[in-house]
Amino acid sequence: MINYIIRRLLGFIPVLFGITLFTFVLVRAIPGGPFESEKGLPPQVEANRMAQYHLDWPMSKQFISYLFGDDIVAIVTGDEAARDGTSRGLIRGDFGLSTKYRNQTVTDIIKVALPTSAQLGIMSLLLALFIGVPMGTLAALKQNSWIDYTSTFAAVIFMSIPNIVLAPVLIWILALKLNWLPVAGWGAKPPFFLGIFPPPSSLNKEYFQHAVMPVFALGTGSAAVIARLTRASLLQVIREDYIRTARAKGLTERVVIVIHALKNSLIPVITILGPLFAALVTGTFIVEQFFGINGLGKHFVQSVGNRDYTLLMGVTLLYSLFLVGSNLLVDIAYGWLDPRIRFD
Amino acid sequence: MAVTELTLEQSDAAILERKERSLFQESLSRLMKNKVAVVSAVFILLLTFVAFLAAFVPIFLDPLEQDLLATNSIPEWMLFLLPDNAENYVKFSNVYPLGSDHLGRDMLSRTMHGARISLSVAIVASAISLLIGTVYGAISGYIGGWVDNIMMRIVDFLYGFPFLIVVILLQAFLKARARQESEGIWLTLININNSMGGLFFLFIAISLINWIGMARIARGSVLSYKKKEFVEAAHALGASEMRILFKHLLPNIIGPLIVAETLAIPGYIFTEAFLSFIGLGVDPPTPSWGIMISEAVQGIRSYPNQVLIPALLLSLTTLAFNFMGDGLRDAFDPRMKE
């Protein structure tokens, strides 16, 4: 097990390196630089700025600086002037300075934006699980009844409504027509409790009122997917021999379903939880945009338009880390759900 | 009680009649029994028809023409969509059946033109990714060995990429490239793109990402078929490798691939709407549902109708593709039925 985890962690290195290199090259290939939008900048000033971020260097040198830091550049290329640079390198946890938000490090920007997105994402994921799994289970147990048909139909409908539609419809009904909920905003502001959670003092009615619509807009689509997967895989599992054995030895129906069937049928659900978790926690631009939430989502989109090379690299790598990390957790969870799965 | 017995000829005829239905006809009749799928297919056909109407029948207004005296106007029946105090600020106009947007353009014809964008993304992007994915996956699975190993490692590697970021970067690159002075092949591509209102690069960006899943499915199916007797027989008869792959294997694996591609279409339509929403989709003023939603979002408190109309059609279209994909899967590939 430990060996397996170590091997997987080592396997992350080439993947993350590939993503870093690919993004690094592609983002610099996009015409237009980070300072081009500032009209009327004297050429000397722009050159100074470019030099500050090492953008005047050849790309390979920039990449080494980004990855390993300026002191390594000085050692590798013999360019002692490089030691004056600020980059300490990705391997030492330094994402660099943002080119758009001057004097802010990418790490600082992420520290402010990630917790809000994470709170929203975790709540949406919980909502998706708490609606999706019971709904799928119920549909499978009552196969071909009206419960099954209704929930399967509802699942397809909610799968088909994109965020970009669900968010304005929710705003229209719940905020504009009924005036039940605030149109926009998020109830918690930094500093966050333990760096992620809303501070206990802001955990009041208002916080949850703000959260209802974005959480629903983000979570219902995933809930529908989870419900479909749960139904399909539970239908397969309850026909297996070991379920008949469990019934034959006189276990109650509840024990058969919850302990024996459900545990095995959750494997496909767990599989999609990995990417889902990464996507939800790192923010989704559309929902955050509609509800005026200052999360990480906007940085994914705006940093491309701003040509904010370092910020874009930072959020992309963060997302990739979440993705590979949660996929590893998923694989570990397989072994617990189905002891026949061995890690070797 | 009279028992009607079939004569030998009659029962033979009955058996023959059943036998005459090919596998395809069986599947088709299964599909026709699925009412939801049929309704969805009819809806998609209707939408296609509407998209053609918008383009070629001049009774509808020009989707780009601005009527600056009638911006944000609505017909009277639409008042119920707006907030309670709407009567104080809203302009009524019965020229536009679905109202006009913030630049005074006809919402009806913009919505109809938007159907063209969504449908062409659905068709072209899925066709390209089906083509690339099938050929790549089939070759990888059929040749096997180290070639397969390398080709699949590439796919695994691409799979690890954050899809949305790659598509955003690709579109940002292509769109910025289109604004630059160019010559040669780039100039040709950019001209094609401009004449299509930015759709061409959108097709490229979306399908460059989405063939990966298809390649995996195609490889898996080829692997399961290539040791079958009919392939052996074709080998024995001296058929060339290419002929076996494309003439004998491909017809067997293409069904599930088309079904999988149909189920992927809603994703393409979402991607187009999302990219247009963030300003990286088609070029304004080309009307697309994503652009219409994103332009109307600022005014959602006063004019929710301008968001709700394209939003409703976007959902209905993806819903129809989802139901049709489910129906196709159940009818043509009963093994995949839940």
Side-chain angles (χ1 to χ4, degrees):
Chain A
M1 186 70 179
I2 299 292
N3 276 336
Y4 172 78
I5 294 175
I6 291 174
R7 209 146 29 85
R8 283 291 300 273
L9 286 175
L10 288 177
F12 288 169
I13 295 172
V15 173
L16 290 174
F17 178 81
I19 291 172
T20 315
L21 182 61
F22 178 82
T23 320
F24 194 88
V25 173
L26 188 57
V27 80
R28 280 165 176 74
I30 301 175
F35 309 111
E36 212 150 86
S37 59
E38 299 173 33
K39 291 262 151 48
L41 212 57
Q44 297 91 330
V45 177
E46 192 177 332
N48 265 339
R49 286 266 176 74
M50 296 290 271
Q52 187 192 351
Y53 293 96
H54 300 326
L55 293 172
D56 52 343
W57 286 359
M59 191 142 16
S60 55
K61 203 168 158 190
Q62 282 183 47
F63 189 63
I64 296 172
S65 156
Y66 183 72
L67 220 49
F68 302 109
D70 287 332
D71 42 355
I72 304 290
V73 173
I75 293 168
V76 173
T77 61
D79 175 12
E80 282 304 313
R83 280 191 198 277
D84 301 333
T86 51
S87 171
R88 286 168 51 242
L90 204 56
I91 52 163
R92 275 172 280 188
D94 181 17
F95 282 115
L97 277 169
S98 160
T99 54
K100 171 78 182 173
Y101 306 100
R102 217 152 296 145
N103 303 326
Q104 282 196 60
T105 64
V106 171
T107 315
D108 285 340
I109 295 174
I110 289 175
K111 262 187 197 156
V112 173
L114 178 64
T116 311
S117 287
Q119 290 164 25
L120 173 59
I122 290 169
M123 281 194 271
S124 311
L125 197 67
L126 290 178
L127 178 90
L129 282 174
F130 280 111
I131 293 180
V133 173
M135 220 170 94
T137 311
L138 209 60
L141 293 182
K142 310 268 180 201
Q143 195 194 359
N144 295 332
S145 71
W146 66 269
I147 300 179
D148 183 22
Y149 292 134
T150 321
S151 70
T152 313
F153 196 78
V156 181
I157 289 185
F158 277 106
M159 242 173 64
S160 306
I161 303 181
N163 289 335
I164 199 175
V165 171
L166 195 56
V169 170
L170 283 174
I171 292 176
W172 176 58
I173 297 176
L174 296 177
L176 296 177
K177 279 281 163 187
L178 299 172
N179 272 321
W180 287 354
L181 296 167
V183 175
W186 189 251
K189 289 189 172 50
F192 294 104
F193 182 55
L194 296 179
I196 288 275
F197 302 102
S201 61
S202 71
L203 268 181
N204 47 23
K205 193 174 154 219
E206 207 181 317
Y207 177 78
F208 290 105
Q209 273 182 341
H210 275 110
V212 170
M213 285 198 293
V215 166
F216 262 85
L218 207 52
T220 41
S222 318
V225 175
I226 289 175
R228 270 166 69 103
L229 279 176
T230 309
R231 175 180 178 275
S233 96
L234 191 58
L235 278 180
Q236 263 178 12
V237 168
I238 51 178
R239 287 184 174 72
E240 301 238 353
D241 288 338
Y242 78 97
I243 296 294
R244 193 176 306 136
T245 311
R247 288 206 175 109
K249 71 181 184 185
L251 295 180
T252 59
E253 192 60 20
R254 181 204 294 239
V255 174
V256 172
I257 297 301
V258 176
I259 309 278
H260 292 246
L262 205 55
K263 202 173 145 190
N264 264 334
S265 70
L266 283 182
I267 284 185
V269 178
I270 297 286
T271 308
I272 63 152
L273 280 189
L276 203 61
F277 177 78
L280 291 180
V281 168
T282 51
T284 49
F285 175 73
I286 290 184
V287 169
E288 289 177 3
Q289 168 91 352
F290 269 102
F291 294 102
I293 297 169
N294 267 324
L296 207 57
K298 72 169 181 191
H299 293 307
F300 279 100
V301 175
Q302 289 177 358
S303 60
V304 178
N306 291 336
R307 306 282 186 272
D308 193 338
Y309 295 160
T310 39
L311 183 55
L312 179 67
M313 294 292 302
V315 290
T316 307
L317 279 172
L318 186 75
Y319 174 83
S320 311
L321 268 177
F322 267 102
L323 190 66
V324 291
S326 49
N327 278 337
L328 176 63
L329 287 181
V330 162
D331 287 348
I332 293 170
Y334 284 158
W336 173 73
L337 280 170
D338 186 349
R340 285 171 301 181
I341 296 174
R342 292 262 169 266
F343 303 107
D344 44 33
Chain B
M1 201 163 68
V3 179
T4 50
E5 273 187 37
L6 294 174
T7 63
L8 207 59
E9 290 84 54
Q10 274 173 324
S11 67
D12 266 358
I15 292 168
L16 278 179
E17 199 178 21
R18 269 190 62 79
K19 269 192 176 166
E20 264 174 32
R21 285 152 59 103
S22 69
L23 208 59
F24 179 76
Q25 283 168 322
E26 286 276 343
S27 304
L28 204 63
S29 84
R30 267 202 298 271
L31 182 64
M32 294 311 274
K33 277 188 200 130
N34 186 339
K35 289 196 189 68
V36 182
V38 173
V39 171
S40 304
V42 170
F43 176 81
I44 292 167
L45 284 179
L46 215 69
L47 200 69
T48 318
F49 180 66
V50 165
F52 272 105
L53 269 190
F56 300 115
V57 179
I59 53 165
F60 299 105
L61 297 165
D62 183 352
L64 307 183
E65 195 180 288
Q66 292 174 245
D67 178 356
L68 292 175
L69 296 175
T71 54
N72 292 323
S73 68
I74 61 162
E76 263 162 62
W77 64 268
M78 215 182 241
L79 195 62
F80 78 99
L81 283 174
L82 270 62
D84 299 330
N85 63 342
E87 276 171 72
N88 303 335
Y89 61 78
V90 83
K91 262 182 276 184
F92 291 106
S93 157
N94 286 325
V95 180
Y96 307 106
L98 291 179
S100 61
D101 70 359
H102 68 293
L103 294 175
R105 297 173 295 195
D106 179 30
M107 287 285 290
L108 175 67
S109 73
R110 283 183 75 73
T111 311
M112 287 166 77
H113 277 265
R116 293 170 65 195
I117 310 285
S118 288
L119 286 175
S120 52
V121 165
I123 293 162
V124 178
S126 58
I128 299 178
S129 71
L130 183 66
L131 186 74
I132 303 178
T134 308
V135 171
Y136 189 96
I139 289 177
S140 169
Y142 189 69
I143 296 179
W146 63 271
V147 178
D148 180 37
N149 224 328
I150 290 177
M151 285 175 89
M152 278 301 121
R153 283 295 82 74
I154 294 173
V155 163
D156 287 344
F157 180 70
L158 293 175
Y159 227 80
F161 274 95
F163 157 79
L164 213 52
I165 298 171
V166 176
V167 107
I168 289 174
L169 282 176
L170 270 177
Q171 261 304 89
F173 172 73
L174 291 169
K175 279 180 90 81
R177 196 68 188 68
R179 283 193 293 270
Q180 281 189 326
E181 297 271 324
S182 315
E183 53 190 11
I185 181 82
W186 271 111
L187 186 66
T188 325
L189 292 179
I190 289 166
N191 282 339
I192 296 175
N193 185 53
N194 289 345
S195 67
M196 291 168 76
L199 260 183
F200 181 67
F201 284 161
L202 200 62
F203 292 152
I204 294 184
I206 293 180
S207 28
L208 265 187
I209 302 296
N210 282 299
W211 60 272
I212 302 168
M214 287 304 127
R216 281 190 162 173
I217 303 175
R219 173 179 175 269
S221 326
V222 166
L223 282 182
S224 71
Y225 274 103
K226 76 172 184 183
K227 295 283 177 220
K228 291 254 157 93
E229 289 82 357
F230 70 90
V231 179
E232 203 83 354
H235 266 299
L237 287 171
S240 72
E241 300 287 352
M242 279 296 124
R243 187 180 163 82
I244 292 175
L245 184 52
F246 288 102
K247 202 87 188 178
H248 295 275
L249 281 174
L250 210 57
N252 278 299
I253 65 166
I254 199 75
L257 283 171
I258 291 178
V259 171
E261 197 59 68
T262 314
L263 286 168
I265 285 179
Y268 303 152
I269 297 179
F270 286 0
T271 311
E272 184 278 324
F274 170 76
L275 286 174
S276 296
F277 182 80
I278 64 176
L280 288 174
V282 294
D283 301 322
T286 310
S288 123
W289 293 336
I291 282 190
M292 290 172 72
I293 294 175
S294 96
E295 282 178 349
V297 158
Q298 281 90 14
I300 188 171
R301 284 167 208 234
S302 310
Y303 302 104
N305 59 318
Q306 293 178 16
V307 180
L308 292 174
I309 292 167
L312 179 75
L313 273 150
L314 185 62
S315 306
L316 283 178
T317 309
T318 53
L319 188 66
F321 274 110
N322 268 329
F323 275 131
M324 202 174 77
D326 277 356
L328 280 178
R329 183 193 56 196
D330 292 350
F332 283 85
D333 199 8
R335 282 166 305 157
M336 280 171 82
K337 194 170 181 181
E338 293 158 4

